[in-house]
PDB file of all heavy atoms in Angstrom:
ATOM      1  N   ASN A  67      47.649  51.270 294.302  1.00 95.00           N
ATOM      2  CA  ASN A  67      47.873  52.518 295.030  1.00 95.00           C
ATOM      3  C   ASN A  67      46.608  53.346 295.212  1.00 95.00           C
ATOM      4  O   ASN A  67      46.660  54.391 295.849  1.00 95.00           O
ATOM      5  CB  ASN A  67      48.923  53.377 294.299  1.00 95.00           C
ATOM      6  CG  ASN A  67      50.270  52.695 294.283  1.00 95.00           C
ATOM      7  OD1 ASN A  67      50.617  51.963 295.201  1.00 95.00           O
ATOM      8  ND2 ASN A  67      51.017  52.914 293.228  1.00 95.00           N
ATOM      9  N   ARG A  68      45.501  52.905 294.655  1.00 91.00           N
ATOM     10  CA  ARG A  68      44.229  53.605 294.808  1.00 91.00           C
ATOM     11  C   ARG A  68      43.338  52.745 295.683  1.00 91.00           C
ATOM     12  O   ARG A  68      43.177  51.560 295.445  1.00 91.00           O
ATOM     13  CB  ARG A  68      43.554  53.818 293.447  1.00 91.00           C
ATOM     14  CG  ARG A  68      44.257  54.766 292.506  1.00 91.00           C
ATOM     15  CD  ARG A  68      44.129  56.230 292.926  1.00 91.00           C
ATOM     16  NE  ARG A  68      42.780  56.640 293.186  1.00 91.00           N
ATOM     17  CZ  ARG A  68      41.951  57.168 292.296  1.00 91.00           C
ATOM     18  NH1 ARG A  68      42.340  57.370 291.066  1.00 91.00           N
ATOM     19  NH2 ARG A  68      40.727  57.510 292.648  1.00 91.00           N
ATOM     20  N   ASN A  69      42.757  53.354 296.700  1.00 88.00           N
ATOM     21  CA  ASN A  69      41.944  52.599 297.650  1.00 88.00           C
ATOM     22  C   ASN A  69      40.542  53.162 297.803  1.00 88.00           C
ATOM     23  O   ASN A  69      39.868  52.872 298.767  1.00 88.00           O
ATOM     24  CB  ASN A  69      42.617  52.590 299.027  1.00 88.00           C
ATOM     25  CG  ASN A  69      43.984  51.956 298.971  1.00 88.00           C
ATOM     26  OD1 ASN A  69      44.171  50.965 298.293  1.00 88.00           O
ATOM     27  ND2 ASN A  69      44.944  52.532 299.663  1.00 88.00           N
ATOM     28  N   GLY A  70      40.101  53.979 296.866  1.00 88.00           N
ATOM     29  CA  GLY A  70      38.785  54.588 296.955  1.00 88.00           C
ATOM     30  C   GLY A  70      37.663  53.573 296.845  1.00 88.00           C
ATOM     31  O   GLY A  70      37.895  52.370 296.639  1.00 88.00           O
ATOM     32  N   ILE A  71      36.466  54.069 296.925  1.00 89.00           N
ATOM     33  CA  ILE A  71      35.290  53.200 296.918  1.00 89.00           C
ATOM     34  C   ILE A  71      35.149  52.406 295.618  1.00 89.00           C
ATOM     35  O   ILE A  71      34.626  51.298 295.608  1.00 89.00           O
ATOM     36  CB  ILE A  71      34.021  54.014 297.227  1.00 89.00           C
ATOM     37  CG1 ILE A  71      32.865  53.083 297.548  1.00 89.00           C
ATOM     38  CG2 ILE A  71      33.683  54.953 296.090  1.00 89.00           C
ATOM     39  CD1 ILE A  71      31.687  53.761 298.197  1.00 89.00           C
ATOM     40  N   MET A  72      35.634  52.950 294.507  1.00 88.00           N
ATOM     41  CA  MET A  72      35.531  52.256 293.225  1.00 88.00           C
ATOM     42  C   MET A  72      36.744  51.372 292.916  1.00 88.00           C
ATOM     43  O   MET A  72      36.745  50.651 291.920  1.00 88.00           O
ATOM     44  CB  MET A  72      35.323  53.270 292.095  1.00 88.00           C
ATOM     45  CG  MET A  72      34.019  54.047 292.201  1.00 88.00           C
ATOM     46  SD  MET A  72      32.553  53.011 292.373  1.00 88.00           S
ATOM     47  CE  MET A  72      32.448  52.304 290.752  1.00 88.00           C
ATOM     48  N   ALA A  73      37.746  51.409 293.749  1.00 92.00           N
ATOM     49  CA  ALA A  73      38.951  50.615 293.505  1.00 92.00           C
ATOM     50  C   ALA A  73      38.652  49.128 293.321  1.00 92.00           C
ATOM     51  O   ALA A  73      39.227  48.497 292.424  1.00 92.00           O
ATOM     52  CB  ALA A  73      39.975  50.833 294.614  1.00 92.00           C
ATOM     53  N   PRO A  74      37.766  48.523 294.109  1.00 93.00           N
ATOM     54  CA  PRO A  74      37.489  47.098 293.900  1.00 93.00           C
ATOM     55  C   PRO A  74      36.943  46.777 292.508  1.00 93.00           C
ATOM     56  O   PRO A  74      37.117  45.662 292.017  1.00 93.00           O
ATOM     57  CB  PRO A  74      36.456  46.766 294.978  1.00 93.00           C
ATOM     58  CG  PRO A  74      36.714  47.760 296.056  1.00 93.00           C
ATOM     59  CD  PRO A  74      37.107  49.022 295.332  1.00 93.00           C
ATOM     60  N   LEU A  75      36.298  47.738 291.856  1.00 93.00           N
ATOM     61  CA  LEU A  75      35.824  47.511 290.492  1.00 93.00           C
ATOM     62  C   LEU A  75      36.905  47.794 289.448  1.00 93.00           C
ATOM     63  O   LEU A  75      36.985  47.127 288.423  1.00 93.00           O
ATOM     64  CB  LEU A  75      34.606  48.394 290.195  1.00 93.00           C
ATOM     65  CG  LEU A  75      33.334  48.050 290.953  1.00 93.00           C
ATOM     66  CD1 LEU A  75      32.251  49.079 290.661  1.00 93.00           C
ATOM     67  CD2 LEU A  75      32.852  46.653 290.595  1.00 93.00           C
ATOM     68  N   MET A  76      37.738  48.791 289.712  1.00 95.00           N
ATOM     69  CA  MET A  76      38.752  49.181 288.736  1.00 95.00           C
ATOM     70  C   MET A  76      39.971  48.258 288.731  1.00 95.00           C
ATOM     71  O   MET A  76      40.546  48.011 287.674  1.00 95.00           O
ATOM     72  CB  MET A  76      39.219  50.613 288.998  1.00 95.00           C
ATOM     73  CG  MET A  76      38.278  51.677 288.499  1.00 95.00           C
ATOM     74  SD  MET A  76      38.027  51.654 286.702  1.00 95.00           S
ATOM     75  CE  MET A  76      39.686  51.986 286.096  1.00 95.00           C
ATOM     76  N   ILE A  77      40.368  47.753 289.864  1.00 94.00           N
ATOM     77  CA  ILE A  77      41.585  46.937 289.938  1.00 94.00           C
ATOM     78  C   ILE A  77      41.518  45.727 289.002  1.00 94.00           C
ATOM     79  O   ILE A  77      42.422  45.533 288.196  1.00 94.00           O
ATOM     80  CB  ILE A  77      41.928  46.569 291.396  1.00 94.00           C
ATOM     81  CG1 ILE A  77      42.364  47.844 292.138  1.00 94.00           C
ATOM     82  CG2 ILE A  77      43.002  45.495 291.450  1.00 94.00           C
ATOM     83  CD1 ILE A  77      42.499  47.689 293.637  1.00 94.00           C
ATOM     84  N   PRO A  78      40.470  44.909 289.040  1.00 94.00           N
ATOM     85  CA  PRO A  78      40.438  43.792 288.087  1.00 94.00           C
ATOM     86  C   PRO A  78      40.284  44.248 286.633  1.00 94.00           C
ATOM     87  O   PRO A  78      40.703  43.558 285.712  1.00 94.00           O
ATOM     88  CB  PRO A  78      39.255  42.950 288.536  1.00 94.00           C
ATOM     89  CG  PRO A  78      38.472  43.789 289.461  1.00 94.00           C
ATOM     90  CD  PRO A  78      39.371  44.854 289.981  1.00 94.00           C
ATOM     91  N   THR A  79      39.721  45.424 286.425  1.00 95.00           N
ATOM     92  CA  THR A  79      39.540  45.957 285.080  1.00 95.00           C
ATOM     93  C   THR A  79      40.870  46.285 284.424  1.00 95.00           C
ATOM     94  O   THR A  79      41.033  46.136 283.219  1.00 95.00           O
ATOM     95  CB  THR A  79      38.643  47.215 285.130  1.00 95.00           C
ATOM     96  OG1 THR A  79      37.395  46.859 285.722  1.00 95.00           O
ATOM     97  CG2 THR A  79      38.413  47.797 283.762  1.00 95.00           C
ATOM     98  N   VAL A  80      41.840  46.734 285.211  1.00 97.00           N
ATOM     99  CA  VAL A  80      43.124  47.160 284.646  1.00 97.00           C
ATOM    100  C   VAL A  80      44.258  46.152 284.859  1.00 97.00           C
ATOM    101  O   VAL A  80      45.338  46.341 284.327  1.00 97.00           O
ATOM    102  CB  VAL A  80      43.551  48.536 285.219  1.00 97.00           C
ATOM    103  CG1 VAL A  80      42.544  49.593 284.866  1.00 97.00           C
ATOM    104  CG2 VAL A  80      43.780  48.472 286.715  1.00 97.00           C
ATOM    105  N   GLN A  81      44.019  45.083 285.578  1.00 96.00           N
ATOM    106  CA  GLN A  81      45.110  44.185 285.955  1.00 96.00           C
ATOM    107  C   GLN A  81      45.817  43.537 284.771  1.00 96.00           C
ATOM    108  O   GLN A  81      47.010  43.235 284.861  1.00 96.00           O
ATOM    109  CB  GLN A  81      44.637  43.130 286.938  1.00 96.00           C
ATOM    110  CG  GLN A  81      43.706  42.082 286.374  1.00 96.00           C
ATOM    111  CD  GLN A  81      43.197  41.144 287.442  1.00 96.00           C
ATOM    112  OE1 GLN A  81      43.527  41.260 288.615  1.00 96.00           O
ATOM    113  NE2 GLN A  81      42.371  40.199 287.043  1.00 96.00           N
ATOM    114  N   ASN A  82      45.144  43.311 283.649  1.00 97.00           N
ATOM    115  CA  ASN A  82      45.773  42.651 282.506  1.00 97.00           C
ATOM    116  C   ASN A  82      46.244  43.612 281.427  1.00 97.00           C
ATOM    117  O   ASN A  82      46.666  43.176 280.359  1.00 97.00           O
ATOM    118  CB  ASN A  82      44.812  41.638 281.893  1.00 97.00           C
ATOM    119  CG  ASN A  82      44.515  40.494 282.843  1.00 97.00           C
ATOM    120  OD1 ASN A  82      45.385  40.062 283.583  1.00 97.00           O
ATOM    121  ND2 ASN A  82      43.281  40.040 282.840  1.00 97.00           N
ATOM    122  N   LEU A  83      46.180  44.917 281.696  1.00 97.00           N
ATOM    123  CA  LEU A  83      46.602  45.903 280.701  1.00 97.00           C
ATOM    124  C   LEU A  83      48.122  46.038 280.694  1.00 97.00           C
ATOM    125  O   LEU A  83      48.739  46.184 281.745  1.00 97.00           O
ATOM    126  CB  LEU A  83      45.962  47.258 280.985  1.00 97.00           C
ATOM    127  CG  LEU A  83      44.436  47.315 280.924  1.00 97.00           C
ATOM    128  CD1 LEU A  83      43.944  48.692 281.351  1.00 97.00           C
ATOM    129  CD2 LEU A  83      43.934  46.962 279.531  1.00 97.00           C
ATOM    130  N   SER A  84      48.694  46.012 279.515  1.00 97.00           N
ATOM    131  CA  SER A  84      50.134  46.205 279.370  1.00 97.00           C
ATOM    132  C   SER A  84      50.443  47.701 279.424  1.00 97.00           C
ATOM    133  O   SER A  84      49.527  48.532 279.316  1.00 97.00           O
ATOM    134  CB  SER A  84      50.597  45.647 278.028  1.00 97.00           C
ATOM    135  OG  SER A  84      50.117  46.467 276.970  1.00 97.00           O
ATOM    136  N   PRO A  85      51.709  48.072 279.570  1.00 97.00           N
ATOM    137  CA  PRO A  85      52.055  49.501 279.498  1.00 97.00           C
ATOM    138  C   PRO A  85      51.589  50.139 278.186  1.00 97.00           C
ATOM    139  O   PRO A  85      51.126  51.283 278.181  1.00 97.00           O
ATOM    140  CB  PRO A  85      53.579  49.512 279.623  1.00 97.00           C
ATOM    141  CG  PRO A  85      53.879  48.290 280.447  1.00 97.00           C
ATOM    142  CD  PRO A  85      52.869  47.265 279.967  1.00 97.00           C
ATOM    143  N   ASP A  86      51.676  49.407 277.077  1.00 97.00           N
ATOM    144  CA  ASP A  86      51.191  49.936 275.800  1.00 97.00           C
ATOM    145  C   ASP A  86      49.678  50.141 275.810  1.00 97.00           C
ATOM    146  O   ASP A  86      49.164  51.097 275.232  1.00 97.00           O
ATOM    147  CB  ASP A  86      51.580  49.016 274.646  1.00 97.00           C
ATOM    148  CG  ASP A  86      53.064  49.069 274.317  1.00 97.00           C
ATOM    149  OD1 ASP A  86      53.731  50.066 274.686  1.00 97.00           O
ATOM    150  OD2 ASP A  86      53.552  48.110 273.699  1.00 97.00           O
ATOM    151  N   ASP A  87      48.956  49.229 276.472  1.00 97.00           N
ATOM    152  CA  ASP A  87      47.504  49.382 276.597  1.00 97.00           C
ATOM    153  C   ASP A  87      47.163  50.621 277.425  1.00 97.00           C
ATOM    154  O   ASP A  87      46.236  51.360 277.086  1.00 97.00           O
ATOM    155  CB  ASP A  87      46.873  48.150 277.244  1.00 97.00           C
ATOM    156  CG  ASP A  87      46.904  46.919 276.366  1.00 97.00           C
ATOM    157  OD1 ASP A  87      46.986  47.055 275.124  1.00 97.00           O
ATOM    158  OD2 ASP A  87      46.844  45.803 276.937  1.00 97.00           O
ATOM    159  N   LEU A  88      47.881  50.835 278.518  1.00 97.00           N
ATOM    160  CA  LEU A  88      47.645  52.013 279.350  1.00 97.00           C
ATOM    161  C   LEU A  88      47.866  53.294 278.547  1.00 97.00           C
ATOM    162  O   LEU A  88      47.067  54.229 278.620  1.00 97.00           O
ATOM    163  CB  LEU A  88      48.546  52.004 280.584  1.00 97.00           C
ATOM    164  CG  LEU A  88      48.309  50.898 281.599  1.00 97.00           C
ATOM    165  CD1 LEU A  88      49.346  50.970 282.719  1.00 97.00           C
ATOM    166  CD2 LEU A  88      46.903  50.944 282.159  1.00 97.00           C
ATOM    167  N   LEU A  89      48.944  53.316 277.767  1.00 97.00           N
ATOM    168  CA  LEU A  89      49.232  54.477 276.923  1.00 97.00           C
ATOM    169  C   LEU A  89      48.120  54.676 275.898  1.00 97.00           C
ATOM    170  O   LEU A  89      47.650  55.804 275.683  1.00 97.00           O
ATOM    171  CB  LEU A  89      50.574  54.276 276.223  1.00 97.00           C
ATOM    172  CG  LEU A  89      51.086  55.459 275.417  1.00 97.00           C
ATOM    173  CD1 LEU A  89      52.606  55.477 275.466  1.00 97.00           C
ATOM    174  CD2 LEU A  89      50.609  55.436 274.006  1.00 97.00           C
ATOM    175  N   ALA A  90      47.687  53.598 275.268  1.00 97.00           N
ATOM    176  CA  ALA A  90      46.636  53.686 274.252  1.00 97.00           C
ATOM    177  C   ALA A  90      45.328  54.187 274.850  1.00 97.00           C
ATOM    178  O   ALA A  90      44.648  55.036 274.265  1.00 97.00           O
ATOM    179  CB  ALA A  90      46.437  52.324 273.589  1.00 97.00           C
ATOM    180  N   LEU A  91      44.965  53.681 276.000  1.00 97.00           N
ATOM    181  CA  LEU A  91      43.746  54.153 276.669  1.00 97.00           C
ATOM    182  C   LEU A  91      43.830  55.629 276.998  1.00 97.00           C
ATOM    183  O   LEU A  91      42.895  56.389 276.744  1.00 97.00           O
ATOM    184  CB  LEU A  91      43.507  53.352 277.955  1.00 97.00           C
ATOM    185  CG  LEU A  91      42.791  52.034 277.803  1.00 97.00           C
ATOM    186  CD1 LEU A  91      42.847  51.246 279.106  1.00 97.00           C
ATOM    187  CD2 LEU A  91      41.372  52.250 277.365  1.00 97.00           C
ATOM    188  N   ALA A  92      44.950  56.045 277.566  1.00 96.00           N
ATOM    189  CA  ALA A  92      45.119  57.451 277.930  1.00 96.00           C
ATOM    190  C   ALA A  92      45.050  58.342 276.695  1.00 96.00           C
ATOM    191  O   ALA A  92      44.415  59.400 276.715  1.00 96.00           O
ATOM    192  CB  ALA A  92      46.441  57.652 278.667  1.00 96.00           C
TER     193      ALA A  92
END
Side-chain angles (χ1 to χ4, degrees):
N67 296 328
R68 293 287 309 269
N69 300 320
I71 194 165
M72 296 307 289
L75 292 175
M76 281 298 298
I77 291 170
T79 302
V80 299
Q81 70 185 0
N82 295 324
L83 298 175
S84 70
D86 288 339
D87 291 336
L88 294 176
L89 186 148
L91 276 170

